[in-house]
Amino acid sequence: MRITVGRDQSGIEKIRDFANWLLDLREDKLGGPNDGETIIDISDDILINNSHDPIGSLINFVYPSILENYININYFQERAILTPKNEVVKEINDCLLKKFPGDEVEYLSLDSICESEFVHDPFDANLYSPDVLNGLKVSGLPNHKLVLKIGVPVMLLRNVDQKNGLCNGTRLKVISLGKRVIEAHIITETNIGNWTSIPRMSLTPSEKKIPSNSQEDSFL
């Protein structure tokens, strides 16, 4: 689904109408009185009609002519795909990454248990092997394997340097992929166009149900 922010009144009205439609959908105000099931009219311009390749169809809709436009920073400022689940995010990212030219660069996290969490309890390393830790999908942390290419848009998952605009949700465009540092241009918020570098860093999940472990990775 794409929302392009327009500068004229008609563009603003379209965004307002779409936002009101989403609110009405959430509050069950569409389709009239019902007992839990109803028929809702959905505009053709937000429907995916290709049942054989819905992800590819969505990407082509939101990012048309991507090879001709991906160098342009404004191209990614005006477009985004929102999904409710991380599994869908990965599927879209993998499909979108294949469309970019150049070689892939793979980053792997270094997962380990913080043994200080087990001062008063016995620690069994077999319960938390690297394979187990690498398979965890934790909110606010990147997956164990991160694959990037030069030119792809990325998003920060935490506040890194708020003074320079590197906050949770900031979007960037990759310009260089080093072994321990990723260089990028900021494409959203207040510091659009600024160059920055993101080093590998130690991250600790906030989830209380799993033992604290550090993931040394980048930022996705």
Side-chain angles (χ1 to χ4, degrees), residues 20 162 174 178 205 208:
N20 290 333
Q162 292 177 294
V174 173
K208 301 300 182 182

Side-chain angles (χ1 to χ4, degrees), residues 66-85:
I66 190 170
L67 289 179
E68 292 79 10
N69 294 288
Y70 80 97
I71 298 178
N72 183 1
I73 292 180
N74 295 331
Y75 180 76
F76 292 114
Q77 288 176 340
E78 300 173 346
R79 294 167 169 82
I81 298 176
L82 306 179
T83 73
K85 296 183 178 180

Side-chain angles (χ1 to χ4, degrees), residues 4 10 19 42 50-51 54 63 70 93 120 153 193 214 218:
T4 302
S10 62
I42 300 179
N50 186 349
S51 59
Y63 298 102
Y70 80 97
N93 284 345
H120 303 293
S214 297
S218 297

Side-chain angles (χ1 to χ4, degrees), residues 152-163:
V152 301
V154 295
M155 179 183 290
L156 289 176
L157 293 181
R158 59 182 54 231
N159 296 326
V160 177
D161 185 351
Q162 292 177 294
K163 181 179 179 180

Side-chain angles (χ1 to χ4, degrees), residues 124-168:
D124 186 356
N126 294 324
L127 293 177
Y128 307 105
S129 66
D131 289 340
V132 172
L133 296 177
N134 294 342
L136 294 176
K137 302 294 189 297
V138 183
S139 177
L141 289 181
N143 292 337
H144 166 62
K145 183 171 71 172
L146 178 63
V147 182
L148 297 174
K149 287 183 180 180
I150 292 176
V152 301
V154 295
M155 179 183 290
L156 289 176
L157 293 181
R158 59 182 54 231
N159 296 326
V160 177
D161 185 351
Q162 292 177 294
K163 181 179 179 180
N164 291 311
L166 300 179
C167 307
N168 180 23

Side-chain angles (χ1 to χ4, degrees), residues 108-123:
L108 301 178
S109 66
L110 302 177
D111 298 313
S112 61
I113 292 291
C114 179
E115 296 190 27
S116 62
E117 298 286 326
F118 298 87
V119 173
H120 303 293
D121 298 306
F123 173 71

